[in-house]
């Protein structure tokens, strides 16, 4: 089951070197913080490889991504509109990330995911409303971040998805 390729060996050696860097780290607390990030990424990669790619599992992963983005957006909107300061932040409103740019990246990456479910043929009215409102909430928070890079990325994303839908429709018609 486990095969070795040059890429896997290189990433494995990088992870081992990062782990061994504790021996010469000036600040071991910082090392633990960084290593936990590496380890979490490594575990998430291993879990992602183990997922059987079928419609049900991919749907579950996308739903969980949308849910995480909605939680982030709800916290950020509460920070912006109601001055809720539960989570420390360096740039206002930054939700759970401490920085509006980082939170905006989540909105850009997940903003149009609900479109996949919104346009499915067999869809209940309640789910359609949920997906439509989730798109609205995600883009509302992207607007509240007041970050031009996020706005530009959202506009570009909407444009490219629109172009894809137009050309895909023409391709499927022939």
């Amino acid at each position: 089951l486990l095969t070795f390729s040059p890429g896997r060996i290189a990433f494995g050696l990088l992870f081992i070197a990062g782990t061994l860097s504790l021996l010469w780290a000036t600040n071991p607390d910082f090392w633990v913080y960084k290593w936990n990030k590496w380890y979490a990424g490594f575990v998430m990669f291993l879990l992602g490889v183990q997922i059987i790619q079928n419609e049900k599992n991919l749907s579950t992963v996308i739903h969980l991504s949308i849910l995480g983005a909605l939680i982030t957006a709800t916290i950020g909107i509460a920070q912006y509109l109601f001055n809720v300061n539960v989570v420390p932040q360096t740039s206002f409103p930054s939700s759970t990330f401490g920085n509006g740019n980082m939170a905006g990246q989540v909105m850009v990456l997940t903003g149009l995911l609900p479109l996949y479910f919104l346009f499915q043929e067999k869809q209940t009215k309640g789910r359609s409303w949920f997906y439509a409102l989730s798109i609205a909430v995600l883009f509302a928070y992207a607007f509240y971040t007041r970050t031009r890079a996020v706005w530009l990325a959202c506009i570009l994303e909407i444009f490219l998805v629109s172009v894809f839908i137009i050309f895909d429709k023409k391709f499927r018609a022939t």
Side-chain angles (χ1 to χ4, degrees), residues 91-112:
S91 68
F92 179 77
S94 59
S95 191
T96 58
F97 291 93
N99 184 331
N101 287 330
M102 293 296 292
Q105 286 179 6
V106 173
M107 300 308 114
V108 169
L109 292 173
T110 58
L112 294 180

Side-chain angles (χ1 to χ4, degrees), residues 18 29-30 58-59 84 90 170:
D29 295 334
F30 183 72
L58 292 176
S59 173
V84 175
T90 57
K170 288 181 182 177

Side-chain angles (χ1 to χ4, degrees), residues 160-174:
L160 290 175
V161 168
S162 301
V163 167
F164 172 76
I165 289 171
I166 290 168
F167 284 117
D168 189 51
K169 191 175 188 178
K170 288 181 182 177
F171 177 72
R172 289 179 184 230
T174 59

